[in-house]
Amino acid sequence: MTGLGVRSSSNGSLEKTGLNGVVLSIQTTRAKPSKMHKEREAGLLLPWICKLAGREDGQVPPSLHFNGTFVVNHSYMLPTNEEEESINIRNISFLGLNAVLSPPMHFLGYTLPQGHPCNSFTLPPPPADRKRTGPRPCPVCYLPVEEAIALMPNAPSFSPLLKNLTYVYEEPLNRDTEFGGSDFGGYPTLKHRNDSFEIRETMSVHCGFAKGPQPGRNTGFDIDEADLLEMKQCRGIVVASAVFDAFDDVKAPQNISKYSEETVCFYMFVDEETESILKRERGLNSNKKVGIWRVVVVHNLPYSDGRRNGKVPKLLVHRMFPNARYSLWIDGKLELVVDPHQILERFLWRKNATFAISKHYKRFDVLVEAEANKAAGKYDNASIDFQVEFYKNEGLTPYSVAKLPITSDVPEGCVILREHVPISNLFTCLWFNEVDRFTSRDQISFSTVRDKIAAKTNWTVSMFLDCERRNFVVQRYHRAEQERYARQKPPVPKFSPPPPSLPTKPVLISSDLPRKVSSGRAVSRTTPPRRRGRRSGPRGHRKANLPVRLQDSA
């Protein structure tokens, strides 16, 4: 399907020309391994192989070629936490040579063919609409769903330095620390916090669910056993969202392919209050489904603030879905309107990134963002000031061009795309710890965690434009705003029909009668007739009450 469609506004609908972006078919070529990976992959007997060994017919997919030779499709399943971490060796005959080949250790990325339109795709200038100066969506160059699915990596991406990550649980909880915390996130000391930014091959850090080794089992944010078992079965892509305190309505994703409906895990986390509304208004029953969403009811919420509770599935989705490879988080106020495979291909796989988030549409400096949060009453001002001063003492400075190629320190955190590899899992764990310790405004702590990890590794976050984010999600009003709008809308008056009456002949007002003019044409009078009678004033003109002009004041 090919087409270019742009929504007229961030709350608009899709144009009929197709998905809200450019969808272009390609013949993809795999990129050569970078120098950093050559030594790591030196043990392989042939160049990097990713798409053929798993096919019984031995045919090479025509859209996947490597340097004009072949690309192998192996049946590679990531080992789970409960399975032995072993990979079967396959015997493959190629060009008359018998070789023993192992699947690739890491996903090395790919490049689109030279001259492909997506390589030279540029954003058109924004429409000249003076009435709308705020954020709006822009077109995105997606691949067709079928090709995006075919390009899903079969091996995990490389995790620099960190290879093994485990999580701390405290039994019993030690609340007597100088750095604070919570029963859900634990009470790490300041030394624990500083040590967690010293990236090593094997690490153990606080990452929520501090009361026990199994997330969701008597740890706070508790989940029914049947739901936990279902969540463990998700081994590919998970799309997660949450609604607490009945703050939003559950939005149905649009333009989802049949393949994604059958293979992608769509999970919506709600509290008991939201569950009761879904039962009453959306027909939620024992099948636990609302449209494509699998609804999971969370008990024993760890925080009194619903927005802070939402940070648990937002940042700790890798702990709740231990076998998932990729996740796409969207806030409850958003409606997904593009297939998840297309989104991940465009912003993760094509970029060879493991974590992607959009920039804030307007602000790029943390200090400016903090002041904006205070002005909007987003959180207690004293708590925001304390957090900012703490970061300043650690070296936080206003954003400057010295941070290039980093172009922003402030994300628009309502959408997160990530691959569940150790380094990205560490990032969200440490980000959550800052949210748990300081304010729930995660935009303030984002750059501090990112920069501390980047200082020890060559890993960083991929940040894309906010208008690109608005291309694949549509923001809706919160539930309270919808109800307030419905109350403010004036009711339509109901009038009884007039009684039937006899038809009457139209009557012409005298001022509407045509009159003769010197040209001989008849014209209708559009002004009232001049009053006849005695003229007033010495010259026959009526006096007018003119305004009095006062002298200019000094």
Side-chain angles (χ1 to χ4, degrees), residues 388-450:
V388 171
E389 288 302 318
F390 185 91
Y391 291 159
K392 282 183 177 179
N393 292 333
E394 289 190 324
L396 175 65
T397 59
Y399 177 84
S400 67
V401 294
K403 297 195 73 170
L404 291 174
I406 294 175
T407 57
S408 177
D409 285 345
V410 181
E412 184 61 64
C414 56
V415 170
I416 293 178
L417 315 173
R418 54 180 295 205
E419 181 181 359
H420 296 184
V421 293
I423 193 67
S424 65
N425 294 342
L426 174 68
F427 171 71
T428 53
C429 285
L430 302 187
W431 191 8
F432 177 84
N433 292 344
E434 298 297 293
V435 170
D436 184 57
R437 171 59 185 86
F438 295 106
T439 71
S440 62
R441 306 306 298 171
D442 49 27
Q443 298 94 331
I444 299 177
S445 52
F446 166 80
S447 65
T448 292
V449 179
R450 177 199 63 188

Side-chain angles (χ1 to χ4, degrees), residues 132-443:
R132 286 201 69 247
T133 58
R136 65 183 73 205
C138 56
V140 173
C141 196
Y142 298 111
L143 300 187
V145 176
E146 296 79 8
E147 295 198 21
I149 293 171
L151 289 174
M152 181 175 176
N154 292 320
S157 297
F158 176 62
S159 177
L161 291 184
L162 179 62
K163 308 301 178 187
N164 304 297
L165 181 64
T166 58
Y167 309 107
V168 172
Y169 72 95
E170 302 178 14
E171 188 181 5
L173 289 171
N174 179 21
R175 299 181 178 89
D176 187 19
T177 61
E178 81 284 7
F179 196 60
S182 70
D183 285 1
F184 179 77
Y187 296 88
T189 64
L190 185 59
K191 183 179 184 302
H192 287 153
R193 176 184 180 272
N194 294 336
D195 287 345
S196 66
F197 291 109
E198 296 295 329
I199 314 301
R200 302 175 296 277
E201 183 174 348
T202 300
M203 297 181 64
S204 184
V205 298
H206 285 80
C207 193
F209 304 100
K211 292 182 180 179
Q214 299 294 326
R217 293 188 176 97
N218 301 316
T219 57
F221 210 87
D222 294 335
I223 298 173
D224 294 341
E225 193 66 28
D227 293 324
L228 289 174
L229 293 176
E230 285 289 332
M231 292 160 63
K232 278 190 174 182
Q233 300 306 312
C234 185
R235 300 178 181 273
I237 299 172
V238 56
V239 177
S241 187
V243 175
F244 297 122
D245 299 332
F247 198 61
D248 292 289
D249 288 325
V250 174
K251 286 85 174 173
Q254 305 294 326
N255 304 308
I256 307 301
S257 65
K258 187 67 175 177
Y259 180 83
S260 293
E261 289 183 3
E262 296 174 350
T263 59
V264 175
C265 307
F266 289 85
Y267 273 80
M268 176 67 67
F269 296 92
V270 302
D271 57 359
E272 295 169 359
E273 178 184 358
T274 308
E275 178 195 21
S276 63
I277 293 178
L278 291 176
K279 287 181 177 180
R280 183 174 67 251
E281 299 181 358
R282 304 291 292 274
L284 178 66
N285 52 34
S286 58
N287 68 0
K288 301 182 179 182
K289 298 280 285 187
V290 173
I292 200 173
W293 293 108
R294 167 69 183 263
V295 177
V296 174
V297 182
V298 180
H299 309 281
N300 191 22
L301 291 171
Y303 305 106
S304 59
D305 181 8
R307 288 172 294 186
R308 192 183 287 271
N309 286 320
K311 299 300 188 293
V312 177
K314 175 179 179 176
L315 300 179
L316 305 184
V317 64
H318 63 285
R319 297 217 60 192
M320 301 167 65
F321 296 88
N323 299 319
R325 297 185 57 202
Y326 299 94
S327 63
L328 194 165
W329 163 265
I330 59 174
D331 277 4
K333 64 185 177 182
L334 301 178
E335 176 185 343
L336 183 67
V337 294
V338 175
D339 190 273
H341 285 92
Q342 292 178 294
I343 299 172
L344 292 173
E345 189 282 326
R346 171 61 183 82
F347 297 103
L348 279 190
W349 307 335
R350 198 186 304 177
K351 296 288 187 179
N352 199 11
T354 57
F355 195 100
I357 194 170
S358 66
K359 310 171 190 177
H360 193 278
Y361 73 95
K362 183 178 181 180
R363 294 183 289 274
F364 52 86
D365 188 293
V366 176
L367 304 181
V368 177
E369 174 67 17
E371 292 301 318
N373 277 260
K374 290 164 57 178
K378 297 289 187 179
Y379 207 85
D380 175 65
N381 288 2
S383 298
I384 294 178
D385 289 338
F386 175 81
Q387 182 176 10
V388 171
E389 288 302 318
F390 185 91
Y391 291 159
K392 282 183 177 179
N393 292 333
E394 289 190 324
L396 175 65
T397 59
Y399 177 84
S400 67
V401 294
K403 297 195 73 170
L404 291 174
I406 294 175
T407 57
S408 177
D409 285 345
V410 181
E412 184 61 64
C414 56
V415 170
I416 293 178
L417 315 173
R418 54 180 295 205
E419 181 181 359
H420 296 184
V421 293
I423 193 67
S424 65
N425 294 342
L426 174 68
F427 171 71
T428 53
C429 285
L430 302 187
W431 191 8
F432 177 84
N433 292 344
E434 298 297 293
V435 170
D436 184 57
R437 171 59 185 86
F438 295 106
T439 71
S440 62
R441 306 306 298 171
D442 49 27
Q443 298 94 331

Side-chain angles (χ1 to χ4, degrees), residues 465-477:
L465 297 176
D466 179 69
C467 69
E468 295 176 310
R469 173 190 66 82
R470 293 174 184 270
N471 179 281
F472 60 83
V473 290
V474 179
Q475 183 168 330
R476 304 299 186 188
Y477 288 111

Side-chain angles (χ1 to χ4, degrees), residues 75-93:
S75 300
Y76 178 65
M77 176 63 71
L78 286 177
T80 68
N81 294 346
E82 300 149 348
E83 297 172 346
E84 182 181 0
E85 297 192 9
S86 62
I87 301 175
N88 293 329
I89 304 299
R90 297 178 179 275
N91 293 321
I92 301 176
S93 177

Side-chain angles (χ1 to χ4, degrees), residues 493-501:
K494 296 181 180 180
F495 299 104
S496 58
S501 59

